[in-house]
Amino acid sequence: QVQPVESGGGLVQPGGSLRLSCVASGSRLTILTMGWYRQAPGHQRELVAVITRSGRTNYADAVKDRFTISRDNAKNTVYLQMNSLKPEDTAVYYCTVQVDHDVGYMDYWGEGTQVTVSA
C-alpha cells in the first residue's frame, strides 16, 4: 500500500511563500509522475503542477512563474515551492503519485494540506 503524506501548509500573508512536501511511503517503489492539485471551497479539484520521473514539468496558467515543482527520486518526495501567494491560492492542496506496479499503473492521493492566504 502506498500512502502519500503532505506537509508544509499553513496561514501566510499575501505575497508570502510556502513550501509543500509530500513523501510517498512504501518499499521499492517505482514512481512515475508526481503532482499537486488543489481544491477551494465550492470549486472542483484542479491541477496545480506535475513532474515526470525525468523532471519534465507542467503548470497551471494561474501559478506559472510563481510556483515551482521539484522531486527527489531517492526520497520518493515531491515539493511545491509557492511564492508571491495570492488569496485565490487558498485551497486544500493534494499530492498525487503514479506508481508502476509492473502489472499496471495506479494513482495514489494524499489527504491534503490546507493553505490559507490572508492578511
Side-chain angles (χ1 to χ4, degrees):
Q1 182 69 18
V2 179
Q3 180 58 57
V5 178
E6 304 98 337
S7 62
L11 173 64
V12 62
Q13 292 187 343
S17 298
L18 281 176
R19 188 191 194 210
L20 305 183
S21 300
C22 174
V23 181
S25 63
S27 61
R28 293 181 287 181
L29 296 178
T30 300
I31 298 178
L32 304 176
T33 300
M34 306 180 84
W36 292 94
Y37 286 69
R38 67 186 182 185
Q39 186 167 17
H43 291 76
Q44 291 186 335
R45 190 174 297 189
E46 63 179 8
L47 170 72
V48 176
V50 292
I51 183 167
T52 67
R53 186 170 181 83
S54 62
R56 189 171 61 190
T57 60
N58 187 40
Y59 294 91
D61 288 342
V63 307
K64 279 180 182 177
D65 301 323
R66 298 189 299 122
F67 291 9
T68 302
I69 189 171
S70 60
R71 63 189 284 172
D72 184 332
N73 290 334
K75 296 181 179 179
N76 291 342
T77 300
V78 61
Y79 306 97
L80 185 69
Q81 178 66 44
M82 304 185 294
N83 299 328
S84 302
L85 282 161
K86 305 175 181 180
E88 51 262 44
D89 294 318
T90 295
V92 178
Y93 284 69
Y94 297 91
C95 167
T96 181
V97 299
Q98 185 182 60
V99 177
D100 182 356
H101 288 295
D102 294 332
V103 295
Y105 304 153
M106 185 167 288
D107 295 329
Y108 296 88
W109 291 83
E111 295 185 350
T113 185
Q114 177 70 46
V115 172
T116 303
V117 185
S118 175

